[in-house]
Amino acid sequence: MRGWWREIAGLVLPVACGGCGRPRTELCPRCREELAGPGPRRVRPVPEPAGLPVVHASAPYADAVRSILLAHKERGALCLAGPLGSALAGAVEAAAGRCDASGTGPLLLVPVPSSRRSVRARGHDPTRRIALAAAGRLRSRGRAARVIPVLRQRRAVADQSGLGARGRFANLAGALEVVAGGARLMEGGRVVLVDDLMTTGASLTEAARALSAVHLPFIRARSEGTAENGTPERGFAHAAAAVVACSPSSFEINRN
């Protein structure tokens, strides 16, 4: 109900740009361009955790992009799901571009789940909402895509915002699992883990571990476990993931 009221309010009340606050527009052209970023790229946090999937992101998490993500996630600016979904769709396509050419089937977007406590507090699940918008955008481009929320939290976790890298990994270790019947839903498609933001990589690493526990055949990199420069991939090399944004330093360090 809270989400419905926010959407109705957005139709009748004055709006401001989610990135810069410019009045009478949900997202101004300048902030929309910043959200598009330099184009989807392979990104890696430092330090890069063992088990982290191959991750692509659309934009650095700074300035307008940071404001847009926070406005959608924390302030209920649900109208921003569309632009955020478009940015995520670009990152998903980049991740899918690493597939073996023989790969077939639809793109299956698996969102990293939010805790029930967070969903109740916010009135919506921001990552799932963005994933649904991304799948719609992909379908409009002629790509078969759908969202399958097959991951869930198997135990309570603490709020990640106040934790450092080590604390985040300890907090999430073993916290996720695939729902009953989830493995069957992923058969015949190409799975891409999706999230709105990557910081340390703890959430995506744990999500990849949970999926690998059901022996899921992930998207395979063309190099079969090696980076494009010939060096071995670290961690779970056959997984793929896409996010809207990550830290600028993850963009700057390009080891491809």
Side-chain angles (χ1 to χ4, degrees), residues 87-133:
L88 180 60
V92 169
E93 287 189 309
R98 294 179 60 89
C99 294
D100 188 318
S102 63
T104 59
L107 292 174
L108 305 177
L109 280 56
V110 176
V112 175
S114 301
S115 69
R116 292 179 181 178
R117 180 176 63 252
S118 296
V119 172
R120 286 195 300 268
R122 292 168 178 154
H124 72 124
D125 186 333
T127 301
R128 185 171 179 177
R129 185 179 288 271
I130 294 171
L132 289 167

Side-chain angles (χ1 to χ4, degrees), residues 112-255:
V112 175
S114 301
S115 69
R116 292 179 181 178
R117 180 176 63 252
S118 296
V119 172
R120 286 195 300 268
R122 292 168 178 154
H124 72 124
D125 186 333
T127 301
R128 185 171 179 177
R129 185 179 288 271
I130 294 171
L132 289 167
R137 182 63 173 171
L138 289 165
R139 289 193 296 271
S140 73
R141 297 173 182 172
R143 300 294 299 266
R146 63 178 183 268
V147 176
I148 49 171
V150 296
L151 288 174
R152 68 180 177 191
Q153 290 191 342
R154 60 186 298 193
R155 62 170 176 80
V157 296
D159 184 358
Q160 294 274 90
S161 60
L163 301 177
R166 183 175 298 179
R168 288 181 179 225
F169 280 96
N171 183 43
L172 290 176
L176 299 180
E177 65 181 359
V178 175
V179 300
R184 179 179 53 80
L185 293 175
M186 291 181 279
E187 293 176 356
R190 295 176 288 168
V191 171
V192 182
L193 283 165
V194 295
D195 207 348
D196 58 348
L197 173 67
M198 181 180 72
T199 50
T200 63
S203 296
L204 289 172
T205 299
E206 170 57 18
R209 181 210 60 77
L211 292 183
S212 68
V214 297
H215 308 291
L216 181 71
F218 284 98
I219 287 177
R220 292 184 176 272
R222 292 192 183 97
S223 52
E224 285 298 320
T226 60
E228 293 173 9
N229 64 3
T231 59
E233 295 277 14
R234 295 186 60 196
F236 200 79
H238 291 168
V243 297
V244 174
C246 66
S247 67
S249 63
S250 297
F251 272 87
E252 293 162 4
I253 298 174
N254 187 352
R255 284 167 267 176

